[in-house]
Amino acid sequence: MRVKNAVKFAIIIAIIAIVSFVMLQGITIGSFKIEPIKNSIRQGLDLKGGVYAIMEAQGNVTQDDISKAIVVINDRVNALGVTEPIIVPEGTNRIRVELPGVSDPESAINFLGQTAQLQFIGPDGKIVLTGADVKDSRAVLGKDEMGVETPQVTLSLTPDGAKKFADATEKYLNQQISIVLDDKVISAPVVRSKITGGEAVITGLENFDEASKLAIQIRSGALPVPLKPIEIRTVGPTLGQDALTKSIQAGIYGVLLVMLFMLAYYKLPGFVADIALVIYIIISFIVFAAIKVTMTLPGIAGVILSIGMAVDANVIIFERIKEELKNGKSLRASIDQGFSRALVTVVDSNVTTLIACAVLFFLGEGSIKGFAITLSIGVLASMLTAVVLMKYILNTVVGMNITKNPKLFGL
């Protein structure tokens, strides 16, 4: 039995070591690849840097208008290639936009907030086409009438739009059709012939970047309501990286101090608690990666707080075990009774924390939700390690019959 428990303990340590290595370094076996855990956990705005903005809808708006505006903004952001953006409603008439990694925040917010109401207007002031008649738009480099290569936006029209355009170009032959974006004329070409192919071209753009943004705006559609940025905050990548480094250092120092305290005060059970704490950290970060948590500074605070709560459960259990030992019970009986008596207290304290996390998640916004998610995952993981895994590991260590000295159990 002693040898069997020693083998089980060695297997536990080996599994912890292997999983920890894979989490930190990743592994590749043929076509099978596991990325390091840091590559699987997304970083929030306060860690990665970027722009935070609150955009307010102008005029009388409905929730349907806000929902449609969020869809349009999201399409524009995706076309820009921004990773892990956050675009959510704030109140009844505002939208919160967080764009990690954006280097030119003012330009990005102006681009996202531009209404992009596209119109083709005839010389008599009649609207010929709108953005709703456009099926697709692309930025290209094309040649103008002089043969000079210039940035342009090509438009593919819907069948109905193609018919409207053909009729308009026939009606306004040798006259100008103005291309207007948000009440500003960006091009006013003269119609030289009837256009029946369902294609149109916008010229007169300053550079290819402007053409690309205009093509994106036309593709994603016009905003249903004008949006005005009322708050813009920028987080530099250096500041975000510095915050991340300091947070990781604080977490490491905190875990090491907790482990040293448990080892010094509770001796052998403290050593087992330290092993369970490592398992807790592994489980938590695997879950973070699996559900693609966006880690923020409040989220890191939630992780560190849950570590303290995991240790708190260990303290309650070990004090119960010590009480049973003082009452003259055997070591195994003390462990069983200690865990049994502490179970209700541990579960109750963790359930109350989970209730608070639920309130924060459903009523909070942004980083508050991140804090609630990481704390609740940590609490659930700590319950698993403290109540189930630690008891198994402690019984395994006791079964090795290394010592029966009561001082090694904190007495």
Side-chain angles (χ1 to χ4, degrees):
M1 182 63 73
R2 179 177 179 179
V3 175
K4 182 179 178 181
N5 282 304
V7 170
K8 286 196 294 185
F9 183 74
I11 291 174
I12 291 170
I13 298 300
I15 292 173
I16 293 172
I18 292 170
V19 174
S20 299
F21 176 82
V22 172
M23 284 178 61
L24 293 173
Q25 302 296 325
I27 189 172
T28 302
I29 303 175
S31 59
F32 179 74
K33 184 177 182 180
I34 298 177
E35 293 281 349
I37 201 78
K38 64 180 182 180
N39 296 343
S40 301
I41 297 177
R42 301 180 297 182
Q43 294 180 18
L45 185 69
D46 50 0
L47 299 179
K48 194 173 182 179
V51 60
Y52 169 101
I54 299 293
M55 307 181 75
E56 187 175 69
Q58 305 299 298
N60 294 324
V61 296
T62 63
Q63 284 304 112
D64 187 52
D65 291 330
I66 295 296
S67 298
K68 288 178 180 177
I70 289 174
V71 172
V72 172
I73 293 174
N74 194 56
D75 288 342
R76 294 180 183 181
V77 169
N78 289 337
L80 285 176
V82 177
T83 57
E84 292 98 41
I86 296 175
I87 305 163
V88 294
E90 287 265 317
T92 58
N93 66 336
R94 294 179 179 179
I95 298 173
R96 175 165 54 88
V97 179
E98 295 182 19
L99 306 176
V102 171
S103 57
D104 188 354
E106 186 174 349
S107 175
I109 293 302
N110 289 337
F111 165 69
L112 295 178
Q114 188 174 1
T115 307
Q117 185 68 52
L118 180 70
Q119 294 176 326
F120 284 54
I121 301 178
D124 55 0
K126 184 178 179 180
I127 297 175
V128 175
L129 295 174
T130 67
D133 295 310
V134 178
K135 180 171 58 178
D136 193 18
S137 60
R138 299 290 167 184
V140 298
L141 288 174
K143 292 184 178 180
D144 60 14
E145 295 177 349
M146 303 297 293
V148 179
E149 197 172 64
T150 59
Q152 302 175 355
V153 174
T154 61
L155 305 178
S156 297
L157 305 177
T158 63
D160 186 48
K163 185 178 184 307
K164 290 180 184 177
F165 197 50
D167 294 341
T169 52
E170 182 179 26
K171 178 180 178 181
Y172 302 124
L173 196 62
N174 296 319
Q175 299 181 66
Q176 284 186 326
I177 292 181
S178 299
I179 302 174
V180 180
L181 184 71
D182 292 341
D183 300 324
K184 179 183 178 183
V185 177
I186 58 175
S187 180
V190 176
V191 179
R192 299 300 182 188
S193 62
K194 179 180 178 180
I195 301 174
T196 58
E199 301 285 336
V201 177
I202 299 176
T203 58
L205 304 169
E206 290 185 5
N207 50 55
F208 191 77
D209 183 59
E210 183 184 354
S212 297
K213 289 182 177 179
L214 178 57
I216 290 170
Q217 289 174 325
I218 295 172
R219 272 202 312 275
S220 59
L223 287 169
V225 289
L227 294 176
K228 179 182 178 181
I230 60 172
E231 180 185 355
I232 299 177
R233 295 204 305 264
T234 303
V235 179
T238 303
L239 180 62
Q241 188 59 45
D242 183 57
L244 176 61
T245 302
K246 289 182 178 179
S247 298
I248 292 174
Q249 289 176 348
I252 292 173
Y253 295 153
V255 170
L256 289 177
L257 287 173
V258 166
M259 293 175 77
L260 286 174
F261 169 78
M262 295 299 291
L263 190 61
Y265 192 81
Y266 289 105
K267 309 300 189 296
L268 189 60
F271 171 69
V272 173
D274 290 346
I275 295 173
L277 190 58
V278 173
I279 296 174
Y280 152 79
I281 294 172
I282 290 172
I283 292 173
S284 295
F285 278 89
I286 288 175
V287 174
F288 294 154
I291 66 174
K292 299 187 182 303
V293 165
T294 298
M295 191 62 69
T296 61
L297 287 175
I300 293 175
V303 174
I304 296 174
L305 178 59
S306 64
I307 290 174
M309 297 191 66
V311 174
D312 181 55
N314 295 336
V315 169
I316 294 172
I317 292 168
F318 293 158
E319 289 299 326
R320 294 289 187 271
I321 292 174
K322 285 168 64 175
E323 289 176 7
E324 298 299 326
L325 287 172
K326 289 177 181 177
N327 290 334
K329 292 184 179 179
S330 67
L331 186 54
R332 283 194 176 277
S334 297
I335 292 173
D336 290 339
Q337 283 296 312
F339 274 90
S340 178
R341 288 180 58 197
L343 180 62
V344 174
T345 304
V346 170
V347 171
D348 283 351
S349 64
N350 284 314
V351 167
T352 55
T353 304
L354 290 173
I355 292 172
C357 288
V359 173
L360 290 175
F361 180 81
F362 288 108
L363 299 183
E365 293 288 347
S367 57
I368 300 298
K369 282 191 174 184
F371 174 80
I373 290 171
T374 55
L375 180 57
S376 58
I377 291 172
V379 167
L380 292 171
S382 69
M383 288 178 66
L384 174 65
T385 54
V387 176
V388 180
L389 296 180
M390 192 173 68
K391 182 178 181 181
Y392 178 80
I393 297 171
L394 187 58
N395 279 323
T396 301
V397 171
V398 170
M400 292 164 59
N401 290 323
I402 298 174
T403 179
K404 292 184 179 180
N405 186 348
K407 290 185 178 180
L408 287 178
F409 290 88
L411 292 178

